[in-house]
Amino acid sequence: MTPTPPFGRDEIESILPHRSPFLLLDEVHELVPGERVAASYRVPEDGWWFAGHFPERPVMPGVLIVEAMAQTGAVAVLSEEENQGRIAFFAGIDDCRFKRIVSPGDTLRLSCEIDQVRGPIGRGKATAHVGGELAARGTLTFAVER
């Protein structure tokens, strides 16, 4: 059964296979299974990646921002009844752009709209915002494990 938004990490863990420290979502605010999702992630002050990226100027790595966007999209895909309990894998990342730095303490506002699904393969347009500013965007292709 899919939880009703808003919901937090316990419910997110009932949908996604990710766990700490790699679960990059704190709350789901909106969800239409198989269509769209809005979520958030508060970037921790002591994120495990900041010790090396970069010690003098901590910045959330772009690949982790993309991962947070992908996890957001995976909530929409894996909350569908036929996909519950499965894993969604990356199959492609297109037109990805980074527009601002994401720093410790920032809150990422994440969204993904699923725009195409054919069998186990699908695509969604994802964004990450901080304080109303676009931080990143991209088109993510996924494959749901069968």
Side-chain angles (χ1 to χ4, degrees):
M1 183 170 143
T2 301
T4 302
F7 56 83
R9 289 178 79 93
D10 288 342
E11 293 85 358
I12 292 167
E13 287 184 4
S14 75
I15 299 168
L16 297 182
H18 304 79
R19 296 296 180 261
S20 185
F22 212 71
L23 179 58
L24 302 175
L25 298 178
D26 293 322
E27 187 172 2
V28 171
H29 306 282
E30 298 174 35
L31 173 61
V32 178
E35 293 182 26
R36 69 178 181 276
V37 61
S40 61
Y41 177 66
R42 186 180 174 287
V43 180
E45 299 282 342
D46 62 348
W48 53 267
W49 54 84
F50 291 132
H53 195 269
F54 303 96
E56 300 301 316
R57 175 66 168 93
V59 173
M60 185 174 183
V63 295
L64 293 181
I65 298 168
V66 172
E67 177 64 25
M69 294 189 306
Q71 289 180 20
T72 301
V75 168
V77 172
L78 298 177
S79 64
E80 288 189 286
E81 190 173 328
E82 65 269 19
N83 292 329
Q84 290 178 0
R86 299 185 187 277
I87 296 175
F89 293 101
F90 264 130
I93 304 168
D94 297 303
D95 302 319
C96 190
R97 299 289 180 266
F98 300 96
K99 300 295 188 176
R100 81 180 297 285
I101 288 173
V102 177
S103 302
D106 284 346
T107 297
L108 283 173
R109 300 290 178 184
L110 303 147
S111 67
C112 186
E113 293 207 17
I114 307 302
D115 63 0
Q116 183 179 10
V117 177
R118 289 193 184 131
I121 308 296
R123 188 178 65 204
K125 295 192 181 318
T127 62
H129 288 80
V130 174
E133 287 183 62
L134 182 64
R137 64 172 169 79
T139 300
L140 309 176
T141 302
F142 60 86
V144 177
E145 179 181 57
R146 292 289 176 200

mmCIF file of all heavy atoms in Angstrom, residues 4 99 118:
data_model
loop_
_atom_site.group_PDB
_atom_site.id
_atom_site.type_symbol
_atom_site.label_atom_id
_atom_site.label_comp_id
_atom_site.label_asym_id
_atom_site.label_seq_id
_atom_site.Cartn_x
_atom_site.Cartn_y
_atom_site.Cartn_z
ATOM 1 N N THR A 4 0.174 7.988 2.008
ATOM 2 C CA THR A 4 -0.408 9.244 1.547
ATOM 3 C C THR A 4 0.488 10.393 1.984
ATOM 4 O O THR A 4 0.822 10.499 3.162
ATOM 5 C CB THR A 4 -1.815 9.429 2.157
ATOM 6 O OG1 THR A 4 -2.613 8.309 1.779
ATOM 7 C CG2 THR A 4 -2.463 10.701 1.660
ATOM 8 N N LYS A 99 23.119 24.433 -12.058
ATOM 9 C CA LYS A 99 22.930 25.881 -12.149
ATOM 10 C C LYS A 99 23.394 26.645 -10.915
ATOM 11 O O LYS A 99 23.563 27.847 -10.979
ATOM 12 C CB LYS A 99 21.448 26.199 -12.406
ATOM 13 C CG LYS A 99 20.911 25.582 -13.695
ATOM 14 C CD LYS A 99 21.594 26.179 -14.887
ATOM 15 C CE LYS A 99 20.976 25.738 -16.197
ATOM 16 N NZ LYS A 99 21.578 26.402 -17.334
ATOM 17 N N ARG A 118 7.569 2.526 -21.323
ATOM 18 C CA ARG A 118 7.325 1.413 -22.248
ATOM 19 C C ARG A 118 7.861 0.152 -21.598
ATOM 20 O O ARG A 118 9.077 -0.034 -21.521
ATOM 21 C CB ARG A 118 8.024 1.648 -23.588
ATOM 22 C CG ARG A 118 7.385 2.749 -24.393
ATOM 23 C CD ARG A 118 7.901 2.740 -25.820
ATOM 24 N NE ARG A 118 7.335 3.876 -26.518
ATOM 25 C CZ ARG A 118 8.018 4.726 -27.241
ATOM 26 N NH1 ARG A 118 9.320 4.559 -27.395
ATOM 27 N NH2 ARG A 118 7.423 5.735 -27.835
#
